[in-house]
Amino acid sequence: MPYFDAASAAPLHPVAREALLASLDEGWADPARLYREGRRARLLLDAAREAAAEAVGCRPDEVVFTPSGTQAVHSGVAGALAARRRAGRRLLYSAVEHSSVLHAAEVHAAAGGSCTELAVDRGGRVAAGDVAAALSPDTALVCLQSANHEVGTEQPVEEVAALCQEAGVPLLVDAAQSLPWGPVPGGWSLLAASAHKWGGPAGVGLLAVRKGTRFAPQGPRDERESGRSPGFENIPAIVAAAASLRALRAGPETAAEAARLRKLVDRIRTRVPELVPDVEVAGDPVHRLPHLVTFSCLYVDGEALLHELDRAGFSVSSGSSCTSSTLTPSHVLRAMGVLSEGNVRVSLPYGTEGAEVERFLEVLPAVVRSVRERLGVPAAGRETAAGREPVAATAGGGPEAAAGGPVAAPAAAEEPGEPGESVEPGESTASAEPAGLVVDSLGKRCPLPVIELAKAVLEVPVGGTVTVLADDEAARQDIPAWCAMREQEYVGERPAERGAAYVVRRRA
């Protein structure tokens, strides 16, 4: 069964497996003790630190091991901010950072600090100029991932590091996704990573703090790991993590494998939109990781799509809200302004065969088509009014569902506005604009509100409006994205008694 979710956890590297088994016999003792078993464990730990430092591109005494990559990020952010409290309390980070950075920012804000989120372009990339403009005398720390975990977009770390150095502000880089493919360039100050992303065992994180970077560890601490990560080290797992990372750096095969996987991903990026109608491929097409691609399928329930792909033998992941316990769309896709429904992330592990990718491309169109058919989407995803149930309005003017169909009622047209602009209640020019429809999608999760919008838009004349009432948070993202894909005008959003009202004007 092809496993296409290396961005979540890469399969255990063969070198990691061998090192883990060997160190279970040799590295079980307390490395802080002076007896023979302790000295042996200390030697293994020191060797692992040296190997990890060489792969990262720093000194061994700058590296500490943590229980996870998330813990490394939290410790790095908290320690750097605490050490620079006198300089300022402002934290800068991109809108597409890993949730560990966002959670650390929430804690900082709750403690009285200030946070500034940097916007990204539609490819998910931060502009170095925006970072330069946001840097201020009270900036204590900048956080920027080397590459995104959902769409694979690489960030301009080297440029940002130079800007931070010039401003005298430390830069923390979350290198979890890119470290398997090479060291992070530039003069970064702190770096965090996670072993299970590169084929090491889970439960091992890495935090590097370069000499000269002010750092004050927070929380309870002890004498282990320079006081930055308390508790007994899991030496067998650390040894296995370092061994696998060193193996990836030792020979030319990593670069060759990256080039091979990039070609496979290029094929997915090219063929999926050709094979499946109404697909948006997300992420920067040039500045990206070699093994990762993300795309979203219009009119598709993400959870159903993942289940069907799993039944077909493919393990993939998704950023769709319907696959999340929070029922909110991915903050990464939201920040990029791209479609979130029917989202699929494919991240190929080392050794993925071309035949596996070809079979995925063969299976995908039928899987998407079957999910769409279950949701009542016309063939090929094309909007049509065929099969639309009759609708009726309540006496009070509110929409009421006819049996089995979306709810629609005539509505006064909305004041035109700039795309994405909020429409305030009462801004109506019904005398100048064609009448529209109201579609009641309250209580329905995406993609249903978008599907009902697609059917309703053909029932109004060109220039008319459709107002979708929805309380699913994903509608705020997916309705504007649908408009961009279908060349319709997104007028804006206004408050409603429940949820929000999203106004769309038919342009074609």
Side-chain angles (χ1 to χ4, degrees):
M1 178 174 179
Y3 176 80
F4 288 174
D5 197 21
S8 291
L12 193 64
H13 194 286
V15 170
R17 183 183 300 276
E18 293 176 9
L20 180 64
L21 294 175
S23 56
L24 285 172
D25 293 330
E26 298 292 330
W28 50 267
D30 187 346
R33 302 306 175 197
L34 299 179
Y35 43 70
R36 180 183 54 198
E37 293 84 358
R39 294 196 306 272
R40 187 181 299 130
R42 168 57 62 182
L43 287 173
L44 289 173
L45 181 60
D46 289 345
R49 199 182 313 277
E50 290 177 4
E54 183 180 359
V56 168
C58 64
R59 293 168 34 166
D61 59 353
E62 295 174 335
V63 172
V64 298
F65 296 106
T66 64
S68 68
T70 293
Q71 183 62 46
V73 168
H74 290 172
S75 299
V77 171
L81 288 172
R84 287 180 50 81
R85 183 182 294 268
R86 292 184 181 180
R89 302 203 65 195
R90 187 158 169 258
L91 171 64
L92 296 183
Y93 57 92
S94 82
V96 295
E97 294 299 307
H98 188 268
S99 58
S100 59
V101 172
L102 304 187
H103 294 157
E106 291 172 1
V107 172
H108 179 59
S114 63
C115 299
T116 300
E117 189 174 87
L118 299 166
V120 297
D121 61 20
R122 196 169 176 84
R125 189 170 164 88
V126 171
D130 291 346
V131 179
L135 285 169
S136 60
D138 65 338
T139 302
L141 178 66
V142 176
C143 293
L144 184 65
Q145 59 191 189
S146 53
N148 187 259
H149 51 291
E150 289 193 30
V151 299
T153 297
E154 294 176 329
Q155 300 295 348
V157 171
E158 196 165 10
E159 297 175 62
V160 171
L163 292 170
C164 289
Q165 282 187 329
E166 184 178 351
V169 176
L171 171 66
L172 185 151
V173 176
D174 174 9
Q177 292 297 331
S178 72
L179 197 58
W181 305 102
V184 177
W188 48 265
S189 304
L190 305 96
L191 181 143
S194 185
H196 71 277
K197 305 295 187 182
W198 68 65
V204 178
L206 180 152
L207 174 63
V209 182
R210 278 183 163 154
K211 294 297 181 183
T213 301
R214 296 177 63 184
F215 192 82
Q218 299 299 289
R221 46 183 154 160
D222 57 23
E223 73 283 359
R224 298 178 188 274
E225 294 301 299
S226 304
R228 295 174 182 173
S229 182
F232 198 101
E233 299 95 340
N234 184 349
I235 293 178
I238 289 172
V239 169
S244 57
L245 186 56
R246 180 173 53 192
L248 295 177
R249 294 284 184 278
E253 54 270 8
T254 297
E257 181 67 358
R260 190 184 71 85
L261 292 180
R262 186 177 291 275
K263 290 181 180 179
L264 295 180
V265 166
D266 284 342
R267 178 147 179 82
I268 296 174
R269 292 179 65 92
T270 301
R271 290 294 290 153
V272 167
E274 296 173 350
L275 296 169
V276 182
D278 300 317
V279 163
E280 183 175 22
V281 179
D284 194 293
V286 177
H287 305 286
R288 60 178 175 83
L289 293 171
H291 70 306
L292 195 155
V293 58
T294 295
F295 56 88
S296 297
C297 305
L298 199 60
Y299 315 130
V300 171
D301 177 85
E303 184 173 359
L305 180 57
L306 261 60
H307 282 317
E308 289 302 315
L309 286 172
D310 182 54
R311 290 177 59 187
F314 294 95
S315 301
V316 298
S317 61
S318 172
S320 295
S321 62
C322 48
T323 67
S324 168
S325 59
T326 62
L327 298 183
T328 57
S330 153
H331 71 276
V332 172
L333 301 179
R334 182 174 65 244
M336 294 167 60
V338 299
L339 187 70
S340 73
E341 65 187 44
N343 179 258
V344 175
R345 180 185 70 179
V346 173
S347 49
L348 307 178
Y350 277 69
T352 299
E353 297 180 2
E356 295 175 326
V357 170
E358 291 303 320
R359 193 166 76 83
F360 175 77
L361 293 173
E362 292 174 5
V363 166
L364 182 66
V367 168
V368 173
R369 185 167 55 250
S370 69
V371 174
R372 284 174 172 167
E373 288 174 353
R374 269 182 272 161
L375 293 172
V377 180
R382 298 177 57 188
E383 291 81 12
T384 173
R388 180 86 185 269
E389 296 290 342
V391 296
T394 61
E400 181 174 82
V407 182
E414 301 298 333
E415 182 79 16
E418 293 299 320
E421 179 182 14
S422 294
V423 180
E424 297 298 328
E427 292 185 341
S428 174
T429 54
S431 59
E433 298 288 338
L437 291 177
V438 173
V439 175
D440 187 349
S441 293
L442 294 170
K444 300 177 182 178
R445 290 169 56 187
C446 280
L448 293 180
V450 178
I451 293 173
E452 294 179 353
L453 165 62
K455 294 179 179 180
V457 76
L458 292 185
E459 295 189 8
V460 299
V462 173
T465 62
V466 175
T467 299
V468 181
L469 303 178
D471 51 6
D472 182 2
E473 182 67 23
R476 179 172 282 111
Q477 178 174 340
D478 287 346
I479 288 177
W482 177 88
C483 291
M485 293 177 70
R486 311 310 275 166
E487 298 183 348
Q488 306 295 347
E489 178 187 350
Y490 179 61
V491 178
E493 171 191 345
R494 68 183 186 196
E497 185 175 346
R498 281 180 57 199
Y502 304 95
V503 184
V504 174
R505 191 183 314 281
R506 183 179 178 184
R507 287 304 184 202

